Amino acid sequence: MIITIDGPAGSGKSSVAEQLSKRLNFLHFNSGSLYRAVTAFLLENKFDIDSMDSSSPIPKISFQVKYENGVQRVFVNQKEYTHKLRDNTISVLTPKVSSNKNIRKAVDDFQKKFTSKHDCVIDGRDIGSFVFPNADYKFYLDCDIDERTKRRLSEERIKNPNITFDEIKKQIIKRDEFDKNKKIAPLVVPKNAIVIDSTALSIDQVVNKMLQYINVKP
């Protein structure tokens, strides 16, 4: 079974997907982690990401995903990049990397192959709309921009205590505009997706709503 969760940055996709997968005893597959790992790999190998466009050739890449106590670990060309996935530099550059059609194909091919062998909850920005349009259940998490900023701020201040609310909000607004206006797989509400506004809901409340739609007792 495949369950997809789409939504904008900071809407709670990953946290909800993690808890939902635990409740269902599924694997939590974070597609964004693959793009972040590729970004870290390209940076490490001195690839000029700034000059990259949608059709730029890329080095040969292969993926591995492993799970340790239910936590996803991501490898590119046999090297692990899990520890770098939340670096702010990676976050800023990943949208440009993810818009490259060659990287998208590599990521999509891998995740389709991986999920064909496992029951998965998959979160991302184009999972239910473009990658798995025939998923068993599709959800779209929405959330107020200020609430999304608060959530992201609490994460970022662990690494950068001086970062401000306004700085994070500007980053999220810029990311929203980029995601919604991409030529390839823009952020949209997937067809037949169940929309849940998570602004005033806890992670458990969102998960319980999803379980009700999936007909699993919370």
Side-chain angles (χ1 to χ4, degrees):
M1 180 184 288
I2 293 178
I3 299 170
T4 61
I5 304 176
D6 288 80
S11 58
K13 299 184 301 295
S14 295
S15 298
V16 168
E18 181 180 356
Q19 291 304 314
L20 181 63
S21 63
K22 288 179 180 178
R23 298 279 286 274
L24 294 171
N25 198 27
F26 285 13
L27 292 180
H28 170 210
F29 191 97
N30 186 321
S31 66
S33 293
L34 298 182
Y35 288 110
R36 286 171 175 265
V38 174
T39 303
F41 165 79
L42 293 176
L43 275 178
E44 188 176 79
N45 287 275
K46 313 300 182 185
F47 191 86
D48 186 5
I49 294 176
D50 287 331
S51 64
M52 191 177 203
D53 61 30
S54 62
S55 59
S56 296
I58 60 167
K60 185 175 181 180
I61 54 175
S62 63
F63 296 103
Q64 282 181 296
V65 167
K66 300 179 182 180
Y67 287 84
E68 186 174 307
N69 298 320
V71 177
Q72 185 186 46
R73 298 170 59 197
V74 185
F75 299 75
V76 178
N77 293 0
Q78 309 298 318
K79 180 171 181 177
E80 184 169 11
Y81 287 93
T82 309
H83 62 292
K84 291 183 176 291
L85 299 184
R86 291 298 168 187
D87 287 0
N88 197 51
T89 301
I90 302 300
S91 297
V92 171
L93 292 172
T94 295
K96 195 170 185 83
V97 171
S98 66
S99 65
N100 178 276
K101 65 181 182 181
N102 298 309
I103 291 175
R104 287 192 61 83
K105 186 179 187 308
V107 170
D108 288 355
D109 287 349
F110 174 79
Q111 59 190 2
K112 286 175 181 176
K113 182 178 180 181
F114 183 91
T115 57
S116 69
K117 302 174 184 177
H118 306 280
D119 291 322
C120 292
V121 178
I122 313 169
D123 64 282
R125 289 176 174 82
D126 60 2
I127 294 302
S129 52
F130 293 93
V131 185
F132 295 102
N134 298 314
D136 298 276
Y137 293 94
K138 296 189 288 186
F139 295 95
Y140 183 90
L141 271 190
D142 211 347
C143 186
D144 175 80
I145 181 65
D146 285 341
E147 179 60 28
R148 288 193 281 143
T149 302
K150 289 177 187 176
R151 294 172 183 178
R152 186 56 57 85
L153 182 64
S154 63
E155 295 175 4
E156 292 299 328
R157 276 191 170 160
I158 295 173
K159 297 169 287 187
N160 180 6
N162 297 319
I163 198 162
T164 67
F165 181 93
D166 287 341
E167 287 175 318
I168 294 294
K169 187 172 182 177
K170 287 178 182 177
Q171 288 179 9
I172 291 178
I173 290 172
K174 184 177 180 181
R175 182 64 196 264
D176 284 352
E177 291 175 351
F178 180 90
D179 289 338
K180 291 176 180 179
N181 294 293
K182 285 192 301 182
K183 291 182 179 179
I184 303 174
L187 174 67
V188 296
V189 178
K191 185 178 180 181
N192 299 323
I194 298 160
V195 179
I196 298 176
D197 189 330
S198 69
T199 303
L201 300 177
S202 67
I203 293 171
D204 283 343
Q205 287 172 323
V206 174
V207 170
N208 286 341
K209 276 182 173 287
M210 291 180 172
L211 290 173
Q212 289 171 357
Y213 284 110
I214 302 168
N215 293 320
V216 175
K217 186 176 180 180

